[in-house]
Amino acid sequence: MRMTVPTPLGDIAVRCLSPFAGARREGAAGPSGAPALLLLHANPGDGRDYDAVLPALADRYRTFVVDWPGYGDSTAPEPGRVRPEGLVEVAERVLDVLAEEHGVRKVAVLGNSVGGYVACRLAEGPRAASVTSLVLVDPAGFTRHTALTRWFCREVMGRPARARRLVVPLARAYLGRLGTPSARETYARVRGLPHDERRLAVHCALWRGLADPDFGLADPAALDLPILLLWGNRDPVVPAFLDGRRARRLLPAGTASVRLPTAHEPYNERPDLFLRHVLPFLENPRAVAARRLRPPSRPRIR
């Protein structure tokens, strides 16, 4: 099933999947009573990027997969207006419609890259009471702002003439070995981006938005809910030794943190390993967060 959510940035396509009757565990709740899970993808990309792990998630949860404006089946009448803060408003509107039309008032949120940033903003904003837990996969929002990072976001990846040449090589790096069908399909979609002016404009607008003055989290340490932080050791976009270390330092002390032998999208590169960590957390977030899957590494004092 699909639904369309009108927003100021465009009509947003959301795939809606309920647990399959034949796959539910004995005694588990039926589709209407199953826990809810919202999936938010990276830039560029669309909800299909999660297809390798979607069956396992949809077996257990009412799963809602968003296509950001201009990507997948979503529209973006004015692609240059799409910014990370606008994605937060889009996700808030999706939560409102899920509550109004589907009775979903509590939801876990899983987000990768800019989707992870939006997940954090949902948990610290006016819809915070609706968010039960976060799975943050190499999230944006933890890069230290410098003149260099702002220039790169605005003038390199934020300019179509330059980004057109870089977006495909960058995707080849952040998707890792392309050892799974889902990773290869995601890469094939990215390869079409330089030839799609509207999608390229959205991609560049989101990159420019990363340098906007209003981009950023209010206080990550104040997030009051269970969090699982997954980070690929070989991520070339938001490196684990910089952004990942900063995220572990800024997020609440109870955050469960795992480093994975992957690049930027572990659910594409190593779906089984990804699910091995995510499913137990979603099943019992507070228990997993309490025991801390792996103590976060601390920088050595030199």
Side-chain angles (χ1 to χ4, degrees):
M1 172 185 170
R2 291 180 181 270
M3 69 176 184
T4 300
V5 179
T7 77
L9 293 180
D11 292 336
I12 304 305
V14 183
R15 269 193 291 171
C16 311
L17 299 95
S18 291
F20 306 119
R24 288 200 304 272
R25 294 156 295 167
E26 185 176 353
S32 63
L37 175 64
L38 181 69
L39 302 185
L40 305 175
H41 66 83
N43 173 45
D46 61 47
R48 291 173 292 179
D49 296 353
Y50 286 111
D51 279 358
V53 297
L54 195 55
L57 297 173
D59 276 352
R60 298 160 173 82
Y61 304 97
R62 298 177 70 189
T63 306
F64 302 93
V65 189
V66 172
D67 287 341
W68 290 132
Y71 289 131
D73 292 325
S74 295
T75 65
E78 299 178 72
R81 291 183 55 229
V82 180
R83 291 288 201 274
E85 299 310 314
L87 299 188
V88 177
E89 296 177 12
V90 165
E92 289 175 345
R93 180 58 185 145
V94 169
L95 290 185
D96 291 343
V97 172
L98 290 180
E100 295 163 5
E101 299 185 7
H102 294 264
V104 175
R105 305 194 182 279
K106 298 290 182 179
V107 62
V109 184
L110 187 159
N112 172 224
S113 197
V114 73
Y117 171 76
V118 174
C120 289
R121 294 279 279 110
L122 288 175
E124 69 177 16
R127 307 304 188 279
S130 300
V131 181
T132 59
S133 60
L134 298 178
V135 179
L136 306 178
V137 186
D138 298 61
F142 295 96
T143 300
R144 192 179 298 279
H145 288 300
T146 66
L148 178 61
T149 60
R150 291 182 189 277
W151 171 82
F152 181 78
C153 291
R154 288 175 178 158
E155 303 301 329
V156 180
M157 298 308 292
R159 301 298 175 192
R162 293 169 177 165
R164 194 188 307 275
R165 298 192 296 269
L166 295 174
V167 63
V168 174
L170 183 59
R172 182 62 186 85
Y174 70 65
L175 286 170
R177 297 172 298 144
L178 299 183
T180 64
S182 62
R184 291 191 290 272
E185 290 163 7
T186 297
Y187 181 58
R189 289 192 289 271
V190 175
R191 289 184 66 183
L193 184 63
H195 312 291
D196 186 326
E197 295 298 331
R198 186 169 295 273
R199 288 174 62 211
L200 182 63
V202 171
H203 167 272
C204 292
L206 283 170
W207 270 97
R208 290 195 300 273
L210 299 178
D212 286 348
D214 60 349
F215 176 77
L217 302 173
D219 183 4
L223 291 171
D224 187 20
L225 75 173
I227 301 172
L228 171 62
L229 178 67
L230 301 175
W231 217 291
N233 277 328
R234 295 183 282 101
D235 190 334
V237 180
V238 281
F241 68 92
L242 292 176
D243 302 71
R245 183 177 294 177
R246 192 162 187 256
R248 290 194 300 274
R249 187 172 70 248
L250 294 178
L251 287 167
T255 297
S257 177
V258 183
R259 294 269 288 269
L260 298 175
T262 66
H264 192 59
E265 297 189 4
Y267 48 86
N268 253 326
E269 189 175 352
R270 297 285 301 275
D272 291 344
L273 179 62
F274 178 82
L275 290 168
R276 194 183 308 163
H277 292 291
V278 170
L279 290 178
F281 175 80
L282 291 175
E283 181 74 20
N284 196 341
R286 295 198 177 277
V288 171
R291 71 172 182 262
R292 304 282 293 274
L293 290 177
R294 182 178 301 171
S297 60
R298 301 291 184 188
R300 294 183 181 180
I301 301 174
R302 297 184 183 275

